[in-house]
Amino acid sequence: MWRRLALPAGLLTAVAGAFAYVGAVDPNEPGHYPVCPLYRLTGLYCPGCGGLRSAHAFVHGDLLTALHDNALGVAAYLGFAVLWTVWVIRAARGRPMRVDLGPVHLWAAGAVLLVFTAVRNLPSGGWLHP
């Protein structure tokens, strides 16, 4: 059984390490991380803008700040946690993890990213600015 859990455990270790690093090295301090190239060149926020600040706030338990910095990122963190848990349970039972994403799912995910990006760059979407 432990062999079946090696890959999920390895992925969790990598993700936890990344979150620990971002939790320790504050992205709100200038000079620690590069600026988003899209924001630097155009002044527009991409779907990932504010993601590091969101992760930093999330690690420190400040959910409201995490949601403000990147609401889609917080949804992704929670989605990862759910998928990882399902993966571990299935692996422990000896069943493979299957995620069958069809074109509809991929188009829907792309549409969510596009709408999120468009809304956060509108004057009325200021509440989504990181």
Side-chain angles (χ1 to χ4, degrees):
M1 178 172 98
W2 295 112
R3 287 180 116 188
R4 293 188 300 241
L5 297 177
L7 191 56
L11 180 62
L12 181 63
T13 301
V15 170
F19 268 88
Y21 181 79
V22 172
V25 180
D26 190 355
N28 296 302
E29 302 278 329
H32 290 289
Y33 300 98
V35 176
C36 172
L38 180 68
Y39 182 75
R40 177 174 277 177
L41 292 173
T42 65
L44 297 173
Y45 297 109
C46 76
C49 279
L52 290 173
R53 286 179 293 223
S54 175
H56 180 79
F58 192 82
V59 166
H60 289 277
D62 189 355
L63 188 58
L64 289 177
T65 300
L67 284 167
H68 176 266
D69 287 336
N70 193 317
L72 200 56
V74 173
Y77 313 150
L78 299 176
F80 170 81
V82 169
L83 283 174
W84 184 86
T85 302
V86 170
W87 186 18
V88 168
I89 291 169
R90 291 183 66 82
R93 293 179 178 169
R95 300 176 75 195
M97 178 67 176
R98 296 184 61 202
V99 178
D100 294 325
L101 295 177
V104 172
H105 299 102
L106 298 175
W107 280 103
V112 167
L113 286 171
L114 186 63
V115 168
F116 178 72
T117 303
V119 170
R120 76 186 322 202
N121 284 294
L122 293 173
S124 60
W127 55 279
L128 287 175
H129 291 178

